[in-house]
Amino acid sequence: MKPGTEPIRITRGQGGEVEAEGVLDSLAADVLRRAGFLFEPTLRGHWIRLPFDMGRDWENEHATWAAGMLTAARYPVHLAPDLRAAASEQGAPSGPARPPAMTAQAPPGRRAGR
């Protein structure tokens, strides 16, 4: 992005919902979708928000994750201080949990190990 452009703002609205505002290109919109944000059509464009009633910890985690991904993609981002995930969670940035890797196993009918 060009220096001096307006940042993407991720804040908690007056009703308690987490919203993202700003000029978004397709990459920034995809990043927000990947982080769990919904794009609701309105008369003036889109209302970009996280789902309701997922709990503050979940909202903070996803807002922090979105801000981190956007920052890594070199977008200017303003994340409201009340949305930052707990300090223990910030040490290891991660997205949604992945299932554990499967171990190699012998095909059915064949003995394991050599």
Side-chain angles (χ1 to χ4, degrees):
M1 299 296 308
K2 295 178 185 176
T5 59
E6 196 66 28
I8 298 169
R9 301 179 58 79
I10 302 174
T11 58
R12 190 174 300 279
Q14 290 181 348
E17 68 284 343
V18 176
E19 304 173 321
E21 298 174 331
V23 179
L24 304 176
D25 60 13
S26 63
L27 176 61
D30 286 344
V31 167
L32 288 170
R33 280 188 188 95
R34 176 86 172 153
F37 281 80
L38 305 172
F39 285 67
E40 301 289 332
T42 66
L43 293 175
R44 296 183 180 173
H46 285 91
W47 180 29
I48 306 164
R49 64 171 179 86
L50 285 174
F52 298 128
D53 299 329
M54 299 300 286
R56 286 194 179 254
D57 290 339
W58 186 92
E59 293 168 347
N60 291 357
E61 179 182 325
H62 284 258
T64 300
W65 186 41
M69 288 191 298
L70 289 166
T71 300
R74 297 184 179 248
Y75 288 95
V77 178
H78 169 77
L79 178 65
D82 65 324
L83 290 174
R84 297 195 188 283
S88 61
E89 294 175 0
Q90 287 182 357
S94 64
R98 290 184 173 183
M102 295 182 65
T103 58
Q105 297 178 354
R110 188 180 286 180
R111 287 188 324 178
R114 283 193 169 187

